[in-house]
């Protein structure tokens, strides 16, 4: 490994629903100092008690960490953390590599990587999939975009947070795979919500319907998790995977489709339903709340 690519310290920015448990696993398993920050003091304090080194600012993280992992809402926040006046580039930095574990725009990721490269920083995209419990368990699926050398550099650390770490290609490729993964899940949940509404109206119990489907060719993760655990009981809590997050992700997929000249008509229908779900008051609820709009349409006819 080049001297400039030595890794003796790590950093983490963004200690939210997924970021906090990811950082916790990195802290416990890497046996390296992990400098962590978030706008909120509570997760910083909890991670400090678990052995991380809580920091008051991004600049403080960048002054101490060789590699910084980010878990943030979108490319806008990622760019601000990297380029902003109180961001990584503003520090007398030690950092040489930034790993974006957010779900971000492919074009935005590639553009940001070009800007950071000119400043001597490497950006690797490594978005994550699976539920919050997987973040706590360290069993996330992580899709990585970057050179083979970059992937080899950070793979050991990503393996502390995920059980499936896949090199998907060059910069931005991890985002492509993650965005399309989410697109398919949202479309599948849309189909399940329609099937559940139709089945109930025809007099079949929803739990029975999905149980039987899970034993046949309609089985899927979406059926067994958001299907049986959310759609059937009508359980759509906040702080799980909000409708507005789903809208952001499927919009990224539609932008990618447009850039490739693909008419993603089915995905567009799901996007439209999610927008209606948000407008109906479910913006912060778990996105399978879309069934409420489907059943409302049924009742209105």
């Amino acid at each position: 490994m080049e001297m400039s690519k030595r890794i003796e310290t790590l950093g983490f920015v963004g200690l939210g629903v997924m970021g906090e448990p990811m950082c916790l696993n990195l802290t416990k398993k890497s046996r390296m100092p992990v400098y962590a920050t978030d706008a909120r003091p509570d997760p910083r304090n909890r991670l400090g008690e678990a052995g991380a080194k809580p920091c008051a600012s991004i600049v403080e993280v960048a002054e101490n960490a060789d590699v910084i992992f980010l878990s943030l809402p979108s490319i806008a926040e990622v760019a601000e953390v990297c380029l902003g006046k109180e961001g990584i580039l503003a520090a007398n930095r030690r950092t040489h590599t930034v790993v974006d574990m957010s779900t971000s725009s492919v074009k935005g990721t590639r553009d940001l990587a070009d800007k950071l490269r000119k400043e001597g920083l490497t950006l690797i995209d490594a978005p994550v999939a699976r539920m919050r419990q997987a973040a706590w368990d360290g069993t996330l699926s992580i899709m990585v975009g970057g050179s083979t050398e970059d992937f080899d550099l950070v793979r050991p650390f990503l393996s502390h947070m995920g059980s499936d770490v896949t090199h998907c290609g060059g910069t931005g490729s991890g985002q492509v795979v993650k965005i399309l993964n989410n697109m398919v899940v949202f479309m599948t949940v849309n189909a399940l919500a329609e099937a559940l509404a139709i089945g109930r109206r025809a007099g079949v119990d929803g739990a029975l319907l999905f149980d039987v489907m899970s034993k046949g060719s309609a089985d899927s993760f979406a059926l067994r998790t958001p299907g049986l655990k959310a759609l059937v009981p009508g359980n759509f809590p906040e702080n799980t995977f909000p409708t507005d997050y789903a809208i952001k992700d499927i919009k990224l997929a539609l932008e990618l489709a447009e850039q490739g000249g693909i008419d993603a008509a089915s995905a567009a229908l799901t996007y439209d339903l999610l927008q209606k779900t948000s407008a109906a008051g479910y913006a912060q609820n778990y996105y399978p709340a879309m069934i409420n709009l489907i059943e409302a349409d049924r009742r209105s006819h």
Side-chain angles (χ1 to χ4, degrees):
M1 190 180 298
E2 299 174 328
M3 292 296 290
S4 62
K5 292 286 190 178
R6 285 185 304 177
I7 303 178
E8 298 173 345
T9 57
L10 305 172
F12 208 105
V13 177
L15 308 174
V17 170
M18 300 293 280
E20 181 178 350
M22 289 159 62
C23 184
L24 180 63
N25 276 308
L26 194 63
T27 300
K28 287 183 173 181
K29 299 174 185 177
S30 70
R31 299 186 179 182
M32 288 185 178
V34 178
Y35 295 83
T37 195
D38 189 272
R40 300 160 301 142
D42 287 352
R44 294 201 308 260
N45 294 337
R46 286 193 293 268
L47 282 161
E49 292 171 1
K53 299 182 180 299
C55 297
S57 67
I58 296 161
V59 167
E60 186 180 350
V61 174
E63 288 174 344
N64 287 283
D66 295 315
V67 176
I68 299 178
F69 298 86
L70 310 180
S71 181
L72 300 165
S74 73
I75 190 64
E77 289 81 4
V78 171
E80 181 63 24
V81 164
C82 292
L83 306 175
K85 61 181 181 180
E86 298 179 356
I88 294 169
L89 288 185
N92 182 19
R93 69 180 188 274
R94 172 174 177 152
T95 307
H96 56 70
T97 302
V98 177
V99 183
D100 177 21
M101 305 191 74
S102 322
T103 301
S104 299
S105 154
V106 176
K107 184 179 184 302
T109 294
R110 289 171 174 165
D111 289 347
L112 180 60
D114 288 341
K115 290 177 183 176
L116 293 180
R117 191 176 298 111
K118 293 173 184 175
E119 301 293 335
L121 268 175
T122 297
L123 179 69
I124 299 170
D125 51 297
V128 304
R130 296 182 182 148
M131 306 292 284
R132 177 170 49 182
Q133 188 59 47
W136 288 103
D137 295 341
T139 57
L140 293 165
S141 174
I142 305 177
M143 294 140 277
V144 187
S147 70
T148 301
E149 293 76 18
D150 292 338
F151 175 69
D152 290 341
L153 182 73
V154 300
R155 182 177 187 175
F157 307 106
L158 295 176
S159 295
H160 297 324
M161 296 177 273
S163 54
D164 295 282
V165 181
T166 306
H167 186 206
C168 299
T171 302
S173 298
Q175 298 294 356
V176 172
V177 175
K178 170 61 192 299
I179 288 165
L180 295 180
N181 174 84
N182 280 19
M183 180 189 81
V184 170
V185 172
F186 302 148
M187 292 166 64
T188 304
V189 171
N190 187 353
L192 290 168
E194 291 181 358
L196 182 60
I198 294 166
R200 283 172 172 167
R201 182 154 196 199
V204 172
D205 177 74
L208 182 144
L209 173 67
F210 278 12
D211 180 62
V212 173
M213 289 170 65
S214 74
K215 297 169 183 174
S217 55
D219 187 29
S220 67
F221 168 85
L223 187 150
R224 285 177 274 109
T225 304
L228 282 166
K229 295 179 181 178
L231 286 173
V232 169
N235 181 31
F236 314 116
E238 296 187 359
N239 300 318
T240 298
F241 194 101
T243 299
D244 279 359
Y245 279 24
I247 289 170
K248 183 208 78 169
D249 286 3
I250 199 166
K251 185 177 180 182
L252 291 173
L254 289 170
E255 289 172 355
L256 198 58
E258 184 177 4
Q259 291 161 16
I262 302 297
D263 179 14
S266 297
L269 289 172
T270 299
Y271 174 61
D272 181 62
L273 177 59
L274 286 166
Q275 286 187 304
K276 290 177 180 175
T277 303
S278 178
Y282 301 106
Q284 298 306 313
N285 295 91
Y286 189 28
Y287 74 88
M290 67 173 73
I291 193 172
N292 292 330
L293 277 291
I294 294 170
E295 294 198 316
D297 286 346
R298 183 199 69 185
R299 289 192 294 269
S300 68
H301 287 91

